[in-house]
Amino acid sequence: MVDGTRRFRVAAALSDVRAALAWLAEHRVDIVLLDIDMPGIDGLTALPDVLAAGNGAKVLIVSSSADEGAAVTVQALALGAADTLVKPGIGTFGGRFAEVLEERLSRLVEPHAEPVALAHAAASLGPVAAPNDFDVVAIGASTGGIHALSQFLRAIPASFQVPILVTQHLPISFMSYFAAQLAVLGSRPCEVATDRMRVRPGRIIVAPGDAHMRVVRMSDGWSVRLSDEKSLSGCMPSVDPMFESIAEVFGKRALGVVLSGMGRDGAEGAKRLVEVGAKILVQDRASSVIWGMPGAVANAGHASVVLPPDELGRLVARQGRA
């Protein structure tokens, strides 16, 4: 199927991890297709080594284990896989799967945003780019965002008490496991949002897969409101409603973060945050699987800082302590 496409070719086909690692030590490729169930070392265990040996190659998990809602899918994405695709069963390798495979491969190699005008935004903006004092951190992400989120959260100590809101493009069936993963990565409780859930210090709230997450002010704090209206980006959940609501409720004391993802979701909400004096931090192009969402914010001139996710996390942690 890969060789049948116009733009891709198979450089090597190897039957186990050891052979793949040995081959990657001598050759360069753009993408590695990695199965999970293989003889010897399984693909999930091998993933960190394959990423290192790939020297920048993006890893697409293609496995029957990656069915919707499977824990292995979120684990693979958190470990750094660029995307996952369910391998069809015997007799179902029809034309539709070939089309989906080619679309996923194309997504991983095509640029989705022009380079940011600043040669190095973080260096150009200097120390004045550090975020204001803030009362909430809202994070938007899509393709490649789970790995970026893991790096971001690992850089923030458990003592950090500012509430963290996350809108990540994922199916609803992934959300409970995704929240459990973030709780471990972030060393703090993490819950999937429900309507009227209170926003509390020291916790993470994740948008559900079937609703946008907004925040409203209460007499004694803040709470979540869920909605299902059509968003500008067409995404469900969408980052824009979350950003727009924290701009309205928190003003300049909000902090937005945009991590790897395809498209422009979050760009309009980021504009609103900047209008009220809040800061937006975005992931840099080099560390992003797809620089669509962060690139859209940076190219519009709305990014205060452009850095890899671990450095963004350390910056947020320093300001949170202050």
Side-chain angles (χ1 to χ4, degrees), residues 248-308:
E248 181 178 342
V249 172
F250 294 92
K252 67 180 182 180
R253 296 190 66 84
L255 179 65
V257 180
V258 182
L259 302 176
S260 176
M262 183 168 60
R264 292 180 46 83
D265 188 27
E268 293 303 314
K271 178 182 178 183
R272 181 63 187 136
L273 280 168
V274 170
E275 287 172 350
V276 298
K279 293 290 197 295
I280 305 287
L281 315 183
V282 308
Q283 184 173 355
D284 68 330
R285 187 187 189 100
S287 68
S288 297
V289 170
I290 296 176
W291 206 57
M293 287 168 54
V297 175
N299 287 323
H302 296 149
S304 299
V305 175
V306 182
L307 287 172

Side-chain angles (χ1 to χ4, degrees), residues 54-109:
N55 198 20
K58 292 170 181 174
V59 176
L60 172 63
I61 299 289
V62 184
S63 171
S64 55
S65 300
D67 56 340
E68 187 169 314
V72 69
T73 301
V74 175
Q75 287 178 317
L77 295 170
L79 286 169
D83 205 350
T84 65
L85 182 60
V86 179
K87 182 198 298 181
I90 295 171
T92 57
F93 279 82
R96 178 61 188 145
F97 179 75
E99 292 172 12
V100 172
L101 176 60
E102 184 173 6
E103 185 272 329
R104 295 293 181 90
L105 294 173
S106 297
R107 180 191 299 180
L108 296 181
V109 297

